[in-house]
Each structure stands twice: as structure tokens, then as C-alpha cells.
Amino acid sequence: MGVPNGQHAAQHREDDQDPTVGALSRRFAQIRTELAVPGEFPPDVIEEAKNAAAQPLPQLPDLTSLPFWTLDPPGSMDLDQAMHLARDNEGYHVRYAIADVPYFVAPQSKFDAAVRERGQTIYLPDGRIPLHPKVISEAAASLLPDVTRPAYVWHLLLDGDAHVTRVSVARALLRSRARRDYETVQAEFDAGRADDQVRILHEIGTKRAALEVARGGASLPMPEQEIVEEAPGRYRLELRPPRPSEDWNAQISLMTGMAAADLMLAGGVGILRTMPAPDPAAVARFRRQAAALGVPWAQPQPYGDFLRSLDRSKPKHLALIHEATSLFRGAGYTPFDGALPDLRTHAAVAAPYAHVTAPLRRLVDRFGLAVCAALSSGEPVPGWAREALSTLPKLMSASDRRASAVERACTDAVEAAVLSSHVGEEFSGSVVDQTSKNRPIVQILVPAVLALANGEAKPGDDVRVRVAAVDVETSRIDLDIIARQA
């Protein structure tokens, strides 16, 4: 991924002053090579994408008079979703627009083949590797403000408790009016300055979260280790809980994915995002781990409710959160055409669920959207979408593995860079897990580093560690436990 020449020059000057910057840059390049991260798109793919972006808008129903808006992290350009929310008698009318990526990607084209090979957008601290060329993902298909775009618009009617009572989805033209970010929306809401759209989002999001609890949904409250770029080549690490506005927005997406799964199951064709319920033995083992750590868990309480009660700021709770990953295994994609699959639900969602809300960043969503729009209108499912269903699990599984490996490798590298100037210093942390050889895994809170340590300690222990050695170019960190407190 290239950067302007001026940025290269600035980085070289920075490297001369701080060798860590250069070492980290080289490590990122090495990760790209080791994990076969795609580079630039070939010229013929770029040309196809440019031609697709230049085509005239399709003839579709016009919803440009409605003030749709987007909600994403600051600076986002690949905007998959826009919404327009309204009260409807005692309930709500949610219009949720998803970028019309199928319009821009011709089936069986070189462009299509390149996107299938990638599977999803991959994020690195020094840049992202997009699923689609930027002329599509950050321009022609993105639901940017003040431009007319084609989209798949979901119409979801909700009752007063936010149960979905009616669903349809169809293509239309829309025009977003505002690009908002989570931090600003949250600040406005907390200050009592939120407009009606945000207030409705809060109402629906809160009610949908309550419905999730009622149906037995479970989410893992894992602390989000966020890499923040302070200056070119310089990063810091933070543990940041999600803002409520992110949760409200996520509930809209989750609701749409559940509606998509219901459409697919009713129509007998589609692809679900599935995950089996945790094995009873795994739940029993997790319950014993909670008891061993002294964290109360009432016998009738479902594991999802117990997870929601955990406090990430408490070492023993944090250790349990890490242990709970054993309950969230086996997620995959389940295609079907005709006979319905045996596994139809996603255990964490506690309902059938499908990915359809992020087609600019995830391959499978493009096909799910086309299937749902056809089923909603009573039209035949497009052949190109139907034929691809059986191939998508393998493609998505490969891209998921690569994206996860890249994320972990880059985080390890940044952790090493952050600690490189602290060799010999001591930090407080918590043991959150152990390797198969009982080597402690320690979470340092400030800076937010998760690393192996040498010494004796068990999950849930508060510890004091010393940074013994760091090598940024190999991401190696040596921590020594010098004191522990059960």
C-alpha cells in the first residue's frame, strides 16, 4: 500500500530520530509477506472498477427526499449503511439502507474474481487492504453524504417493544444527509442535545438489547485493544469499552441480519451465519472456573446473563472473560438451497442470523442481499448469487483466518514497539490465561499490552511484571513476574 512521497520523506526523517519507527514499519511489511496479504489490485481489475463506477445510476424508486444518515468511526469513507428512523403509531419504521455493491461488480468478471479471492477488508495499523478498489468502496458505492447512491433499503416495522412485525427489502436511490461518528453522537446524547433521529436510535437500540437478553443471547465482553496512531509510525494502545451509541447501531444491524435469515429460511435458499450452542461440558467447566476464582454464579442464571454481569476492570472477572472464549467456537457459514440445514441459529444471537449489512467490507453480504431482495419481491434468486452460495464458506473461512492472523500479528508488533522504551521498568497487570504449558498470559492495563510472562502465577492473580527484553522486528516481549497477589 503506497503513501505520498512527502509522507515517505517525513517517515525517513522520523526513522533517523527513532529506530523503533523504522523497525515497526519493517515488521508490518514482513507480516504482509508472511501472511500473504493482497497488495494493489491488478491494472485490469482497476480498469473494470473504474468503468463500473462511471456507469449511470440505475432506474430505481427514488427515496432521495428522505434524510438518511450514517454512523461510523471518525474518518470512515467505506460507508455500508445509512438509516432513516421514524416513529410509527406506538412503534417504529426503520429504513436501513445497505450499499448496492452487486450493481458495481459484474458476475464472473476479473473484478469479481479478485474480490472473491480477498474475502474481506483487512486492517493494519499503517493502512487497510480494501475488499474493493477505492473507486468503488470509498466513492461510487459508498453511502457518502450529499450524493445519490443506489442501495438495498430494508423496511422494518416494529411494535412498541421493538419486535419486528413486517419486513421487506428492495433497491432504491437515496441521498445521505449527514456522516456522523460514534464519539460525537454519544457526546450530544449525553449532553441532552441529540436530535430526534439519535433519540429514536437510542430507544430502538435499548429495546432490542432487552429482547436479546430475553431470548438468551450472549455476547463476550472482551476488552477492545485499540491501536491509536499518534503520529506517522507512532502508536499507543488502549483498552476501550464500546460506547453505547455503537451498541445501539449494532442492534440495528443485528436486527436486519435476523430479518434476512428469516427471509432466507422462509424462501428455502440462502446462507446463514451459524454457531452451535456451547457444549454442556464446556459450560460446566466454565462454571467450575468461575467457582475456582471466587466469582459468584447462581445456578439458574444462563451463561449469557452471567457474562453480562462481569466487570472488565476486575482481574478475576477479566480472567473469566478470556476463559469464556471456549463457549464461542464453531462459527461458520451455512449455505442451503432446498432442504433447510440442521443448524440454523447463531448461539450468541440466540436466533437465525445472516450477514447482509457490510457488503463493501465482507464478500458474503453481497450475495445475501441479492437473495433477500429477490425473496422479498417474489422474484427468482439471481443465478450468479445462487450458484455462489456453496463456494462462500470456504472463501470466507480463509479470509477470516488471514484477517485474524494479521490483526494479532500487528497488535503483537505494536505492543513490542510500545514497550521498547520501557525495558527494565515495572508494570501492574493481571493474569488472564495460561498456555498449555501453564505459562502465564498477563494483561497490562496501561499501556494496554497482552503478553506471555515468565514466572509462577495463575489466572485471576494480580501481578507485578518487569520488562526484561523487547525486539520490535520479531515482536518479541520478555516479561518477568516479580510479585504476585492472589
Side-chain angles (χ1 to χ4, degrees):
M1 180 175 293
V3 295
N5 291 333
Q7 290 186 30
H8 277 302
Q11 182 167 313
H12 287 316
R13 289 194 296 271
E14 191 71 35
D15 292 355
D16 292 339
Q17 298 174 11
D18 184 355
T20 300
V21 175
L24 190 55
S25 178
R26 290 189 292 274
R27 179 59 184 144
F28 290 155
Q30 186 179 30
I31 290 169
R32 283 177 162 88
T33 300
E34 290 174 351
L35 298 177
V37 176
E40 297 289 348
F41 285 96
D44 52 355
V45 172
I46 294 292
E47 186 64 24
E48 285 189 6
K50 287 181 177 178
N51 291 337
Q55 64 185 321
L57 290 171
Q59 298 295 314
L60 296 172
D62 190 337
L63 298 182
T64 56
S65 62
L66 291 173
F68 281 85
W69 57 287
T70 59
L71 182 57
D72 294 274
S76 296
M77 293 293 290
D78 50 346
L79 308 183
D80 287 290
Q81 311 109 10
M83 70 186 93
H84 179 267
L85 311 175
R87 292 186 173 85
D88 183 55
N89 296 320
E90 298 299 317
Y92 307 93
H93 184 176
V94 175
R95 294 178 178 89
Y96 199 46
I98 310 299
D100 187 355
V101 177
Y103 178 66
F104 296 97
V105 184
Q108 307 306 318
S109 63
K110 293 179 180 178
F111 182 11
D112 183 25
V115 172
R116 293 191 194 210
E117 184 177 352
R118 293 186 176 218
Q120 64 187 281
T121 296
I122 296 178
Y123 297 89
L124 294 92
D126 62 345
R128 61 186 187 85
I129 310 300
L131 175 61
H132 303 88
K134 290 184 179 180
V135 69
I136 298 295
S137 62
E138 296 187 5
S142 180
L143 303 182
L144 296 164
D146 303 320
V147 288
T148 301
R149 292 284 187 257
Y152 285 82
V153 181
W154 290 82
H155 294 261
L156 300 113
L157 296 183
L158 317 181
D159 66 17
D161 294 322
H163 291 100
V164 176
T165 60
R166 190 182 307 171
V167 175
S168 65
V169 56
R171 297 172 68 216
L173 297 178
L174 61 86
R175 194 176 183 89
S176 174
R177 297 293 197 276
R179 178 172 55 175
R180 303 186 184 185
D181 65 80
Y182 296 118
E183 184 176 355
T184 302
V185 163
Q186 191 64 55
E188 291 174 349
F189 183 84
D190 293 343
R193 300 193 307 270
D195 64 16
D196 198 46
Q197 286 291 295
V198 173
R199 289 195 296 270
I200 297 175
L201 176 63
H202 164 254
E203 290 175 21
I204 295 174
T206 302
K207 291 177 179 180
R208 290 296 303 181
L211 293 177
E212 181 179 289
V213 173
R215 68 175 181 267
S219 58
L220 187 61
M222 185 71 74
E224 181 180 350
Q225 190 177 26
E226 187 173 57
I227 298 174
V228 180
E229 187 170 21
E230 297 181 306
R234 293 179 178 274
Y235 304 91
R236 73 173 188 272
L237 290 159
E238 298 178 347
L239 289 178
R240 185 186 66 79
R243 298 178 182 88
S245 59
E246 295 176 66
D247 290 335
W248 308 334
N249 195 42
Q251 286 294 335
I252 301 293
S253 180
L254 188 66
M255 174 176 65
T256 306
M258 292 168 63
D262 288 344
L263 272 175
M264 292 174 181
L265 289 169
V269 59
I271 182 165
L272 305 176
R273 181 62 166 166
T274 55
M275 187 173 77
D279 183 80
V283 177
R285 182 171 60 252
F286 183 59
R287 189 178 285 276
R288 290 194 297 271
Q289 290 167 332
L293 287 167
V295 180
W297 182 358
Q299 184 61 40
Q301 186 180 32
Y303 78 96
D305 290 350
F306 176 69
L307 289 176
R308 274 184 286 271
S309 73
L310 297 177
D311 184 346
R312 287 172 283 200
S313 67
K314 297 180 179 179
K316 295 183 185 301
H317 288 214
L318 188 59
L320 273 176
I321 290 169
H322 279 262
E323 291 293 342
T325 56
S326 64
L327 305 178
F328 293 81
R329 291 179 178 166
Y333 291 92
T334 302
F336 58 98
D337 192 349
L340 299 185
D342 293 333
L343 179 60
R344 306 174 195 177
T345 59
H346 191 292
V349 179
Y353 175 62
H355 276 159
V356 293
T357 62
L360 288 174
R361 291 168 285 169
R362 193 171 49 212
L363 172 67
V364 67
D365 301 49
R366 168 160 52 109
F367 301 88
L369 280 170
V371 169
C372 286
L375 293 174
S376 179
S377 65
E379 298 176 357
V381 172
W384 61 265
R386 195 167 211 143
E387 292 161 6
L389 294 178
S390 63
T391 69
L392 292 173
K394 184 177 179 180
L395 294 173
M396 291 307 303
S397 177
S399 69
D400 283 342
R401 286 194 301 270
R402 179 164 52 193
S404 296
V406 168
E407 180 182 14
R408 187 62 252 171
C410 287
T411 301
D412 289 346
V414 173
E415 287 174 331
V418 167
L419 288 182
S420 63
S421 61
H422 298 284
V423 174
E425 296 182 22
E426 298 178 8
F427 295 90
S428 296
S430 302
V431 178
V432 297
D433 208 343
Q434 304 179 297
T435 67
S436 59
K437 296 182 178 180
N438 295 325
R439 191 176 177 190
I441 301 173
V442 174
Q443 176 72 71
I444 300 172
L445 297 180
V446 181
V449 171
L450 183 71
L452 291 172
N454 302 307
E456 296 290 332
K458 62 181 186 299
D461 286 349
D462 281 325
V463 294
R464 190 79 178 162
V465 297
R466 179 183 292 119
V467 182
V470 174
D471 184 350
V472 177
E473 297 213 29
T474 62
S475 304
R476 177 187 166 194
I477 298 172
D478 284 342
L479 297 180
D480 292 335
I481 294 175
I482 58 176
R484 60 181 286 265
Q485 178 180 355

